[in-house]
Amino acid sequence: MTGLLRSELLKLRTTRRTAGLALGMVALVCLVVILHGMLFPARLANHDDEMKVFGWGAMGTLFAALLGALSITSELRHGTIRPTFLVTPDRRRVLAAKALAATMVGVAFGVVAEALTLALGALVLSSRGIPIRLDGGDVIQLVLGGALGAAAWAALGVGIGAVLRNQVFTVAGICAWLLFIESLFVGDLPGAGRYLPGAAAAAIGGGSTITGEVPAHPALLAPALGVVVLLLYAAGSTAAGIVSTERLDVS
Amino acid sequence: MTEVIEAEREVVTVRSLSKRYRDVTAVEDLSFSLSAGTVTGFLGPNGAGKTTTLRLLVGLAAPSAGEALVFGRPYCELERPACTVGAVLESGDFDPGRSGRDHLRALALAAGLPSGRVEEVLDTVGLTQAARRRVGSYSLGMRQRLSLAGALLGEPRLLVLDEPANGLDPEGMHWLRTSLAAFARDGGTVLISSHVLSEIAQTVDRVIIINRGRIVASGPIDQLTAQRPRRRRQRPLRRLTLEDVYLDLTTSTAL
C-alpha cells in the first residue's frame, strides 16, 4: 500500500495541475481577502463581522476538491488508468490510495489557504487601524477546521470524479455545488442544508462558507457533529467511487 | 496432476470467451491457448474484437461468459501482475504533462519495483535522452517506445501488445522485431495484434485470425498458407501468402 500511495503522491506532483490549483487558490485568496479587508466597514468591527474577512480560508475546500477530482478524471481522460489498473488490478486499492493521497495534499491546501487568509487579513485590517478581535482559539479552529474540511473534500472529490468520470462535468459540478447550490439550501432550507458537505465544512472551519457568508449561529451544525458528518461524506463518496470503478470496463 | 502441469505450461488459456455490450457482441465463444516461448500474431480487421479480447485477458474488462487465464489464473488474481505480464493496449496512455521518466516512476512505485528499473527500461527502449521531457512533446514512435518500456518494467514472462507497430519508423520496426525475437528466445511469450500483415509475417511463429468476434483460423503461418482457399479467387498455381489467407477469411462473403 505504501508503494501505491507513493505512486499516487508522485502523480500529483509531477504534472502542473497541482501547482496550478495551488497558485489559483493563493491568487483568489489574496484577491478576496485584500478586497474585503479594504472595503470592511471599520465601525462594524465586532468578532462575527471580522469572520467575513478571516473566513475566506474556506476556499481551500474548493481547490482540494478539484485536486481530488482531477486525480481520477485526468487518468480516465488520458487513459493512464489502463497502466494504473494493469499494475494494480485491485481497483479498490487504487481508489483508496488516490483518496488518501488527495487527502494529504488537501490538508496542505487547507492550511495554506487559512494561514494566508489570517496573515493577509490581519495585515490589511491592522494597516487600517482596526483591532483584530480573533483570539488564539479562533485561529486554531480556522486552521484545524480548514485543514480538515479541505482534506475531507479532497477525498469527496476523488469519489465524485470516480462516479461522474467526465472531467468537465465533474469540475463544473463541484464548482456549481460549492459556490452556488449549497448556498441556496443553507439559506432557504437551513434545517436540511446544514447537513450538506459544504455546510459541514463551514461548521468546523469557523462558521464561514466558501462563498464568504456567515450564516446565523443555529444554521450550522456544532463543530463536533460537523466533523462526523463530513467524515461520513468522505467515506461514503470514496465507497461510491470504488463501486462505480470496480464495475467499469476500461475501454 | 497432469492437468495442473499442462495448465502451468500454457501461458495463456482462453476458453469460450464472450463479451457482449448491450446488443453488440464484440467477442463470441473464443478459445485458444499460447505456450511458452512463442510469438503469436493476433490478426483481424478493425472491429473484429482483437482489442476487446486483449482487454479481457488483462482484466480491464469483465467477460460476459467464458474465461481468460494467464499462467492458469485470471489476471486480477496474479500476485505480482507487473512482473508476470507486460501489456501495451494503447500507445497514447500518458498524461501529456508528465515526463516519460515520471510516468515510469509512478508505475514502478505502484508495482514495488526499484527505481533502477526505470533507468534500465529507458535505456532498453532508447529514451534516456528524452526521459526528462514531457510526453506531450513526444512523437508517436517515442510514445510507442515508452509504452513498451512500461510493459517491460517488471521483467514479465508474457507480453501482450496491441498494435505496437503503429507509428514506428523502419528502424523502430527493426528494433521491435529483434527485441521480440530475443524476448521469446529467453522463454518469454508474446501475443501481438496487428493489421500490418507483412510485419506480422516476419515476426511471429503462428497467427490467430479473428473476424466478427470469432476465430476463423489459427496455426503456424506455413500451415495456413499451405491450405487451399475457401473461395477460388486466387490463382491456383501460386503459393498463398498470409495476406491471401487473411483476406479470404475476413472479407465478407455475403455478396
Side-chain angles (χ1 to χ4, degrees):
Chain A
M1 190 66 197
T2 53
L4 202 50
L5 180 62
R6 285 174 65 203
S7 172
E8 290 304 329
L9 288 170
L10 179 88
K11 285 180 193 168
L12 285 179
R13 68 170 187 271
T14 50
T15 68
R16 294 180 190 170
R17 267 189 297 276
T18 305
L21 283 172
L23 274 179
M25 179 182 79
V26 166
L28 202 57
V29 165
C30 287
L31 176 74
V32 173
V33 173
I34 291 174
L35 213 58
H36 279 75
M38 298 302 288
L39 301 175
F40 188 75
R43 61 198 162 75
L44 293 179
N46 65 33
H47 177 276
D48 280 1
D49 285 325
E50 286 193 356
M51 276 306 293
K52 288 177 181 167
V53 175
F54 291 112
W56 282 102
M59 212 117 65
T61 52
L62 172 65
F63 287 88
L66 293 178
L67 173 91
L70 290 178
S71 78
I72 177 73
T73 57
S74 69
E75 288 226 40
L76 292 165
R77 182 177 168 204
H78 296 302
T80 51
I81 199 71
R82 276 184 284 267
T84 296
F85 284 165
L86 285 175
V87 170
T88 317
D90 187 346
R91 300 178 183 183
R92 290 169 299 184
R93 293 180 59 215
V94 173
L95 265 285
K98 277 193 184 302
L100 201 54
T103 301
M104 290 165 72
V105 182
V107 167
F109 271 45
V111 169
V112 167
E114 296 289 354
L116 186 64
T117 303
L118 283 166
L120 263 183
L123 198 69
V124 175
L125 290 191
S126 58
S127 75
R128 292 178 57 199
I130 301 172
I132 312 296
R133 304 202 187 269
L134 265 54
D135 56 25
D138 293 322
V139 171
I140 289 171
Q141 190 185 358
L142 280 172
V143 174
L144 281 186
L148 189 58
W153 263 94
L156 211 64
V158 173
I160 294 168
V163 170
L164 295 182
R165 292 174 200 154
N166 179 295
Q167 185 150 303
V168 175
F169 289 164
T170 304
V171 169
I174 287 174
C175 288
W177 181 267
L178 270 176
L179 297 175
F180 181 64
I181 299 171
E182 273 220 10
S183 325
L184 292 181
F185 280 106
V186 173
D188 298 341
L189 284 170
R194 59 192 180 148
Y195 287 98
L196 294 175
I204 66 174
S208 171
T209 69
I210 190 169
T211 42
E213 290 155 65
V214 183
H217 213 50
L220 291 176
L221 298 172
L225 188 53
V227 170
V228 173
V229 168
L230 204 53
L231 290 181
L232 284 176
Y233 272 113
S237 154
T238 306
I242 285 173
V243 169
S244 160
T245 310
E246 264 194 316
R247 292 181 302 179
L248 180 66
D249 279 352
V250 186
S251 48
Chain B
M1 191 64 202
T2 42
E3 230 180 58
V4 173
I5 293 166
E6 201 62 36
E8 272 175 4
R9 209 184 308 152
E10 272 184 8
V11 176
V12 168
T13 314
V14 171
R15 286 197 203 108
S16 311
L17 189 68
S18 297
K19 180 64 178 178
R20 283 176 286 277
Y21 294 97
R22 292 182 194 202
D23 37 319
V24 182
T25 301
V27 171
E28 178 88 47
D29 198 25
L30 221 63
S31 295
F32 66 89
S33 63
L34 307 181
S35 44
T38 56
V39 180
T40 305
F42 196 40
L43 305 180
N46 292 332
K50 301 190 295 288
T51 299
T52 302
T53 306
L54 299 185
R55 282 182 183 158
L56 292 169
L57 185 62
V58 294
L60 289 180
S64 310
E67 58 181 0
L69 306 178
V70 196
F71 296 99
R73 289 163 152 196
Y75 183 89
C76 298
E77 290 173 19
L78 293 173
E79 256 156 48
R80 305 195 67 195
C83 301
T84 311
V85 183
V88 176
L89 294 172
E90 197 110 1
S91 58
D93 285 346
F94 308 107
D95 194 312
R98 190 174 287 132
S99 75
R101 178 177 281 121
D102 286 336
H103 172 79
L104 295 174
R105 280 173 64 207
L107 293 179
L109 278 173
L113 296 165
S115 57
R117 273 304 289 161
V118 170
E119 300 309 317
E120 282 171 31
V121 292
L122 279 170
D123 186 52
T124 306
V125 302
L127 277 181
T128 305
Q129 297 291 320
R132 285 186 58 199
R133 276 165 50 194
R134 305 199 302 155
V135 178
S137 70
Y138 283 16
S139 67
L140 185 54
M142 290 165 82
R143 286 167 202 234
Q144 291 283 26
R145 286 163 181 265
L146 184 59
S147 296
L148 204 60
L152 294 172
L153 260 181
E155 301 180 87
R157 288 173 288 158
L158 167 67
L159 276 180
V160 176
L161 308 173
D162 197 6
E163 304 277 357
N166 273 0
L168 285 184
D169 53 18
E171 189 209 330
M173 201 54 233
H174 175 73
W175 166 82
L176 177 69
R177 213 181 301 143
T178 45
S179 322
L180 293 185
F183 182 80
R185 219 176 15 251
D186 295 338
T189 310
V190 184
L191 180 60
I192 173 174
S193 87
S194 181
H195 57 253
V196 189
L197 296 174
S198 56
E199 292 301 345
I200 277 285
Q202 292 176 50
T203 313
V204 305
D205 310 320
R206 52 192 289 269
V207 293
I208 297 170
I209 302 177
I210 73 168
N211 192 28
R212 297 178 185 181
R214 290 171 178 276
I215 292 182
V216 289
S218 73
I221 293 180
D222 294 348
Q223 221 174 70
L224 290 179
T225 52
Q227 283 166 358
R228 199 195 284 257
R230 279 190 311 178
R231 280 172 291 149
R232 302 285 178 156
R233 199 175 56 183
Q234 281 79 13
R235 280 163 292 173
L237 291 177
R238 182 165 63 90
R239 179 167 174 86
L240 294 174
T241 64
L242 180 60
E243 190 173 12
D244 293 329
V245 177
Y246 175 85
L247 288 174
D248 182 49
L249 290 167
T250 59
T251 313
S252 171
T253 47
L255 291 173

